[in-house]
């Protein structure tokens, strides 16, 4: 018997154990069998006297060692989608199977595979990249992220991952990010974060519904820019917004032609994560947070509220960006530990024959566009200059990269392309990311390139 047939047999057997399919036959008791279901049961003594017969599946008594071996071999064989859905099916059977699958299936950082929904917020692989593509729909103002199922650049068959919808406001633009492709809104159960830009599209802040590891050290979010009524937001949907990434595009004051200059301050990822032996702390164990009622009961034990019916989003004045840019820094040794990772775009080179700016996308980008970019880790900065404005920090990082000659190990770590994004068709773009970014973070950063930038071009 093949593993696929075993899994199908598992699913069929345990599928009958749902709330409606679970059959409990109590012989001889009227009201619980046959057409007498709606009648009263009778005295309680009859319940104790009658034997209770429960029908169980033949797989219910499967030895745990054999079950673990089957799941391990299934995980090794089904490496790609759509066959990998059998691994997800095993984890959906019951709590015991789910816990066993979590122990066997490793994070994308180590296996390079996206299996469960929580993988969308976990770092990508260290030794490779995860290839994805984005499809844009200008009429609906939506963007859909898919996992590539083949190496072909223009292959539109993929596994759906995330969706985003653009909403233009009076003073800013919002991009709502959801795992539900049909209901992209903050009231949806699939809402996991958002992206907000200023009016001219030069500054962006990415918000996550789940708090990062250093949520207590981030800037205070006392000022609320918008309040949602209880009728508009479902009580089971978390509306907390935690700023985890700040993306800045350098202003083109002189109007000279050239590529965009951008930098990303990853406030949820320390700079030590890209160093040898570095890690990304605070990785989530579930994609969607707990329900509102559960969070409310546990909110008394935490000093940083996780959910709130108020949207504590930062407005886009210069003072707010200054506070957000330097809010994570402290005095002493904590400065080095809490210094956020800064990503900057890799500078392209001018091609004399083609008369254009060029970057080596290794065949993953085929159409020239100002939206194309590659992000690498910026060189570390001294502690005295870390609390300055984000734009000044990015300029200092670029200046230090040009003037200094780092060691070979440090240079290899900071020259690795962490995220690349480029155009391959009219409304189709490729997105390749790796550690320490997650699919959610990479997708949100790429959305900033779609927004109109009046002062950058």
């Amino acid at each position: 018997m093949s593993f696929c047939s075993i899994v199908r047999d598992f699913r069929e057997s345990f599928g009958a154990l749902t709330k409606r399919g679970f059959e409990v036959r109590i012989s001889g008791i009227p009201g619980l069998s046959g057409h007498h279901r709606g009648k009263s049961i009778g005295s309680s003594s009859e319940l104790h006297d009658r034997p209770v017969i429960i029908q169980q599946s033949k797989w219910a008594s499967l030895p745990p060692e054999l079950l673990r071996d089957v799941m391990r071999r299934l995980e090794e064989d089904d490496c790609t989608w759509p066959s990998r859905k059998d691994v997800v099916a095993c984890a959906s059977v019951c709590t015991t199977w789910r816990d066993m699958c979590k122990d066997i299936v490793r994070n994308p950082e180590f296996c390079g595979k996206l299996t469960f929904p929580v993988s969308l917020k976990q770092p990508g692989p260290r030794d490779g990249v995860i290839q994805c593509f984005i499809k844009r729909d200008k009429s609906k103002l939506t963007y859909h992220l898919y996992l590539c199922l083949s190496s072909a650049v223009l292959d539109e068959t993929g596994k759906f991952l995330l969706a985003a919808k653009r909403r233009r406001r009076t003073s800013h633009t919002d991009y709502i990010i959801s795992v539900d492709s049909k209901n992209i809104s903050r009231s949806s159960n699939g809402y996991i974060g958002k992206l907000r830009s200023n009016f001219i599209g030069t500054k962006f802040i990415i918000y996550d519904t789940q708090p990062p590891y250093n949520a207590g050290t981030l800037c205070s979010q006392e000022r609320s820019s918008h309040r949602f009524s209880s009728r508009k937001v479902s009580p089971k949907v978390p509306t907390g917004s935690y700023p985890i990434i700040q993306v800045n595009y350098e202003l083109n004051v002189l109007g000279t032609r050239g590529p965009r200059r951008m930098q990303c301050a990853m406030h949820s990822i320390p700079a030590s994560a890209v160093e040898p032996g570095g890690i990304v702390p605070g990785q989530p164990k579930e994609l969607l947070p707990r329900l509102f009622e559960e969070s409310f009961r546990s909110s008394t034990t935490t000093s940083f509220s996780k959910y709130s019916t108020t949207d504590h989003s930062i407005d886009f004045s210069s003072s707010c960006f200054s506070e957000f840019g330097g809010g994570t820094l402290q005095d002493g040794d904590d400065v080095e530990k809490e210094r956020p990772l800064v990503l900057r775009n890799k500078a392209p080179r001018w091609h004399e024959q083609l008369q254009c700016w060029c970057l080596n996308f290794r065949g993953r980008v085929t159409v020239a566009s100002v939206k194309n970019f590659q992000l690498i880790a910026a060189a570390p900065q001294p502690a005295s200059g870390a609390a300055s404005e984000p734009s000044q920090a990015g300029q200092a990082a670029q200046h230090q990269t040009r003037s200094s000659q780092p060691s070979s190990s440090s240079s290899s770590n900071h020259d690795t392309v962490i995220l690349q994004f480029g155009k391959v068709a009219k409304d189709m773009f490729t997105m390749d990311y790796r550690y320490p970014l997650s699919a959610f973070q990479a997708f949100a950063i790429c959305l900033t390139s779609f927004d109109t930038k009046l002062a950058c071009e």
Side-chain angles (χ1 to χ4, degrees):
M1 181 182 292
S2 63
F3 287 109
C4 294
S5 60
I6 293 177
V7 171
R8 283 194 298 267
D9 199 357
F10 285 170
R11 295 179 61 184
E12 292 174 359
S13 300
F14 279 86
L17 300 182
T18 58
K19 195 175 270 189
R20 294 183 179 180
F22 188 83
E23 297 183 2
V24 180
R25 296 184 180 179
I26 305 179
S27 60
I29 300 179
L32 291 183
S33 61
H35 60 278
H36 301 286
R37 178 174 296 180
K39 298 182 179 180
S40 59
I41 297 177
S43 61
S44 60
S45 60
E46 296 181 359
L47 291 175
H48 300 284
D49 298 337
R50 309 294 187 186
V52 179
I53 303 174
I54 300 178
Q55 290 185 349
Q56 292 184 351
S57 170
K58 60 183 178 180
W59 300 105
S61 58
L62 190 69
E65 295 79 8
L66 179 59
L67 178 61
R68 181 177 293 272
D69 182 66
V70 170
M71 289 186 178
R72 182 180 293 107
R73 297 174 64 180
L74 181 67
E75 197 275 337
E76 294 175 356
D77 293 341
D78 297 340
C79 298
T80 58
W81 289 89
S83 62
R84 197 159 181 77
K85 65 182 179 181
D86 295 335
V87 181
V88 181
C90 289
S92 305
V93 171
C94 61
T95 305
T96 304
W97 288 38
R98 184 180 301 110
D99 295 338
M100 192 171 296
C101 283
K102 288 181 179 180
D103 295 337
I104 296 174
V105 180
R106 297 183 297 174
N107 294 344
E109 178 181 351
F110 305 102
C111 69
K113 307 171 188 175
L114 296 178
T115 307
F116 303 116
V118 71
S119 304
L120 300 175
K121 286 193 175 182
Q122 293 176 341
R126 290 177 179 263
D127 301 329
V129 296
I130 294 181
Q131 296 181 346
C132 310
F133 66 90
I134 300 175
K135 294 184 67 175
R136 175 180 61 180
D137 190 340
K138 289 185 177 181
S139 61
K140 298 181 181 179
L141 301 178
T142 56
Y143 308 85
H144 291 80
L145 177 67
Y146 297 89
L147 176 67
C148 293
L149 300 183
S150 66
S151 58
V153 176
L154 295 177
D155 188 3
E156 297 187 5
T157 59
K159 165 68 176 174
F160 170 77
L161 299 179
L162 293 171
K165 186 176 182 63
R166 182 176 180 266
R167 293 185 178 181
R168 182 68 182 176
R169 307 297 184 183
T170 304
S171 59
H172 61 273
T173 302
D174 283 342
Y175 290 82
I176 306 300
I177 304 176
S178 174
V179 294
D180 189 354
S181 60
K182 298 181 180 179
N183 186 9
I184 311 175
S185 63
R186 291 203 61 184
S187 60
S188 170
N189 291 331
Y191 170 73
I192 61 173
K194 69 177 181 179
L195 167 69
R196 176 168 292 182
S197 73
N198 61 352
F199 179 75
I200 59 177
T202 57
K203 295 182 179 180
F204 299 82
I205 294 182
I206 299 171
Y207 296 91
D208 194 348
T209 56
Q210 295 176 317
Y213 77 101
N214 57 348
T217 61
L218 289 176
C219 63
S220 173
Q221 302 181 33
E222 297 296 335
R223 289 167 294 186
S224 62
S225 61
H226 191 73
R227 182 177 294 271
F228 289 90
S229 63
S230 58
R231 296 181 181 179
K232 294 182 180 180
V233 180
S234 172
K236 294 184 178 182
V237 177
T239 58
S241 295
Y242 298 90
I244 59 171
I245 303 175
Q246 179 180 350
V247 182
N248 293 335
Y249 285 83
E250 185 177 335
L251 295 175
N252 189 1
V253 181
L254 301 179
T256 57
R257 298 186 61 184
R260 295 172 178 173
R261 294 182 178 89
M262 61 181 296
Q263 77 158 15
C264 306
M266 312 295 298
H267 292 273
S268 61
I269 303 177
S272 59
V274 296
E275 301 296 335
I279 60 172
V280 178
Q283 297 185 23
K285 302 202 179 206
E286 55 185 4
L287 178 63
L288 298 176
R290 295 170 298 170
L291 298 182
F292 179 82
E293 293 81 3
E294 297 179 2
S295 174
F296 181 79
R297 288 194 294 266
S298 61
S299 60
T300 56
T301 59
T302 59
S303 60
F304 203 78
S305 178
K306 189 175 183 180
Y307 304 132
S308 173
T309 54
T310 303
D311 179 17
H312 299 288
S313 301
I314 301 176
D315 53 11
F316 288 90
S317 61
S318 59
S319 60
C320 289
F321 268 87
S322 300
E323 293 175 5
F324 181 66
T328 58
L329 298 179
Q330 301 175 356
D331 296 333
D333 297 337
D334 292 338
V335 175
E336 295 296 333
K337 297 179 181 179
E338 300 295 333
R339 186 191 305 279
L341 174 66
V342 177
L343 304 179
R344 63 174 180 85
N345 65 302
K346 189 174 182 180
R349 60 181 181 85
W350 178 257
H351 199 287
E352 290 294 341
Q353 296 180 353
L354 300 178
Q355 290 295 303
C356 63
W357 298 94
C358 297
L359 279 172
N360 184 11
F361 288 96
R362 302 185 182 277
R364 291 285 296 165
V365 178
T366 58
V367 179
S369 174
V370 72
K371 298 179 176 64
N372 303 344
F373 67 83
Q374 289 181 334
L375 290 184
I376 61 176
Q381 291 295 301
S384 60
S388 60
E389 289 288 334
S391 60
Q392 297 176 359
Q395 294 174 0
Q398 294 178 3
H399 177 72
Q400 181 177 355
T401 305
R402 298 191 192 100
S403 60
S404 61
Q405 297 294 333
S407 61
S408 59
S409 60
S410 176
S411 177
S412 61
N413 293 332
H414 292 278
D415 289 343
T416 302
V417 176
I418 298 176
L419 171 64
Q420 76 172 17
F421 171 80
K423 190 174 184 179
V424 294
K426 181 180 180 180
D427 290 316
M428 188 172 176
F429 304 80
T430 58
M431 186 196 83
D432 301 341
Y433 75 97
R434 61 177 298 157
Y435 176 88
L437 292 184
S438 64
F440 165 72
Q441 295 170 343
F443 182 51
I445 294 175
C446 292
L447 289 177
T448 64
S449 186
F450 288 107
D451 201 65
T452 304
K453 296 163 181 57
L454 302 176
C456 298
E457 302 171 357

